Amino acid sequence: MTQQGDNWWDKLYDDAAPDTAPTVSGDTLDDHFDTAPRATTGPPGGTPPPPNPPPAPAAVLPSLPPPVPGRAPWEVPEAGPRTFPPPPPAAPPVETPTVQVSLLPGPATEGPAVEGPAVEQPAPAPATDVTADPGTDTELTVEVSVPVDLPRPRTGFVGSRPPTYEAEPTALPVARPGELADLVPDTVLDGARYGTCTLRAASVRGDSARYRGEPRRDALLTARFGHDETALVLVAVAAGSRAAEDAHLAAADACHWIAEAVCRSHARLSEDIRSGRRGDLKSGLHRLTDRTYGKLRARASERGLAPDEYTATLRCLLVPADPECRTRVFFGIGGGGLFRLREGAWQDLEPLLPEPAAVVGAPVLGFGSPPAAQEATEEGDRLTMDLGITTAPGPLIEQPVPAPPEPFRFRASVARPGDTLLLASPGLAEPMRGEPALARALADRWADREPPGLAAFLADTQLRVTGYADDRTGVAVWEA
């Protein structure tokens, strides 16, 4: 190797030659070692820090259950059974009335003096510290929560004493196989609102029938036929005879058959009512009612009963849905009542009927005809001659002549705003006429007020009167 070729070697490894790497800083390993004790012990002459507290003992974990066959070791076991029912929801808190009592602090005052019957107090609540200056007249107000049990409303009565029977149902009617469809409920309640009127209807089994376990003999049917302004609302009320065993079936049949007849002719009937054709209405409804009673007689014959053993009184009310028409039409056969509450007073609108013994019309040939006039001479002597001819006996009547049928009742009235029309079965009409206290009570509840709800109307019609324990059915129409 030549002298010139060794020069680069000498320049690279010569101690006096500068290093080709970056300049070395003063932060060496020795410097780090010298500063470490000062960082842990603080500045020279300072107070040593308190020793570190001993580590808390490790929590003891519960032992895991052994793995279930069919589950991987890394799967988390279930916390409980899957079929465990969830907890029931918490009941909502019951609000209790709060009574505010004013106290004046004093040395001898421990509480307000209250006069009245003793009331059982609940468990005392935790005491609350109340401070007041004895020298001042500062008034303190303490709020006390007292739980009050409100009594449920019960069926009321009018008169001097309550009726003998209980106010609630006691016994159910007897049911027989194959006749379950003939069972009737104890109470029926219905209602509607059309045009300017509000309808409420209720039928309740009487106290006597409830006690003896007999079915309700009154029947109630409410139906609407048609749509919009031409619709017609029918309410039918029928009452079976108390002595008949199948009286409740006859009453139900009467309501259903008259409803079917009105349904077929509702368009014509609605037009006659809105047009005010009273004569056509009376004749048409009379014909429909006669057909209904003809079906009742036919059903009685099928059952092997006499016509008077399978019959019922029938009273109906037609109310048009047109708000511009306020004509209300009543028709039917048999007892009951039709009342109107106007300006706080009841009016009996029952159509007047002639007395059974009254003579109506001219005599006809036969029974009831006046005797034939006999010839007389100028002196006034009557010419008589006895030819010795025996007079033939009169017709033989083995059975008494049946009583004439019940007359047809009809009435069309125009309602006014604020009127209340009440259609009642005999069980409600009789106490309305015989007990003035009942009429006054219903007038106070229904006059100059909004129509009651269904529950309130049921409570009103159930006002009991001593001596009247039959079924009650009432239909009321409030005019707006």
Side-chain angles (χ1 to χ4, degrees), residues 140-210:
L140 303 181
T141 302
V142 181
E143 293 186 357
V144 182
S145 297
V146 182
V148 178
D149 295 334
L150 298 178
R152 294 183 179 181
R154 299 184 61 86
T155 304
F157 69 92
V158 294
S160 58
R161 59 183 180 88
T164 305
Y165 297 103
E166 295 184 6
E168 302 300 331
T170 303
L172 291 173
V174 177
R176 298 179 178 86
E179 300 180 0
L180 298 180
D182 299 338
L183 296 178
V184 292
D186 177 89
T187 304
V188 176
L189 191 61
D190 204 352
R193 178 179 296 175
Y194 287 99
T196 59
C197 65
T198 300
L199 174 68
R200 296 289 182 263
S203 182
V204 184
R205 189 162 55 135
D207 294 342
S208 176
R210 285 178 168 179

Side-chain angles (χ1 to χ4, degrees), residues 81-415:
R82 295 183 179 180
T83 58
F84 192 79
V94 179
E95 298 182 358
T96 56
T98 301
V99 181
Q100 294 186 355
V101 182
S102 300
L103 302 178
L104 292 177
T109 303
E110 297 182 357
V114 181
E115 296 182 358
V119 180
E120 183 180 355
Q121 299 294 339
T128 304
D129 294 335
V130 179
T131 59
D133 188 1
T136 61
D137 294 338
T138 305
E139 183 177 355
L140 303 181
T141 302
V142 181
E143 293 186 357
V144 182
S145 297
V146 182
V148 178
D149 295 334
L150 298 178
R152 294 183 179 181
R154 299 184 61 86
T155 304
F157 69 92
V158 294
S160 58
R161 59 183 180 88
T164 305
Y165 297 103
E166 295 184 6
E168 302 300 331
T170 303
L172 291 173
V174 177
R176 298 179 178 86
E179 300 180 0
L180 298 180
D182 299 338
L183 296 178
V184 292
D186 177 89
T187 304
V188 176
L189 191 61
D190 204 352
R193 178 179 296 175
Y194 287 99
T196 59
C197 65
T198 300
L199 174 68
R200 296 289 182 263
S203 182
V204 184
R205 189 162 55 135
D207 294 342
S208 176
R210 285 178 168 179
Y211 177 77
R212 303 176 188 276
E214 298 175 353
R216 176 171 51 88
R217 302 179 183 89
D218 282 6
L220 172 65
L221 185 145
T222 56
R224 174 181 63 90
F225 309 114
H227 304 277
D228 302 330
E229 288 78 8
T230 60
L232 189 63
V233 178
L234 167 70
V235 184
V237 176
S241 174
R242 181 185 299 181
E245 182 179 359
D246 298 333
H248 60 291
L249 301 179
D253 287 343
C255 289
H256 292 162
W257 287 332
I258 193 63
E260 291 178 357
V262 172
C263 180
R264 297 189 186 97
S265 307
H266 75 274
R268 176 66 183 272
L269 293 173
S270 177
E271 179 64 24
D272 291 344
I273 292 175
R274 290 184 292 144
S275 301
R277 292 191 282 265
R278 177 187 175 92
D280 295 343
L281 278 173
K282 184 175 181 179
S283 59
L285 294 175
H286 194 177
R287 184 170 58 255
L288 298 182
T289 306
D290 287 344
R291 291 178 182 175
T292 299
Y293 276 86
K295 291 183 177 181
L296 283 177
R297 290 189 292 270
R299 179 62 60 86
S301 177
E302 294 175 0
R303 290 175 170 266
L305 302 175
D308 57 347
E309 294 179 356
Y310 196 85
T311 186
T313 64
L314 179 63
R315 307 174 73 83
C316 303
L317 189 65
L318 292 176
V319 180
D322 188 357
E324 301 298 329
C325 180
R326 290 184 176 269
T327 303
R328 312 297 180 235
V329 178
F330 158 77
F331 68 96
I333 291 178
L338 180 65
F339 308 93
R340 180 172 60 195
L341 181 61
R342 175 174 291 178
E343 298 179 357
W346 286 106
Q347 302 173 357
D348 196 340
L349 302 183
E350 187 71 14
L352 297 178
L353 299 177
E355 294 294 335
V359 178
V360 180
V364 295
L365 182 62
F367 294 101
S369 300
Q374 298 179 353
E375 298 180 3
T377 61
E378 296 179 356
E379 291 79 8
D381 297 333
R382 292 180 296 175
L383 298 178
T384 60
M385 181 179 295
D386 186 6
L387 301 179
I389 301 175
T390 305
T391 306
L396 178 61
I397 301 177
E398 297 181 354
Q399 298 179 355
V401 178
E406 286 280 348
F408 177 73
R409 292 173 169 87
F410 175 87
R411 188 181 185 104
S413 61
V414 179

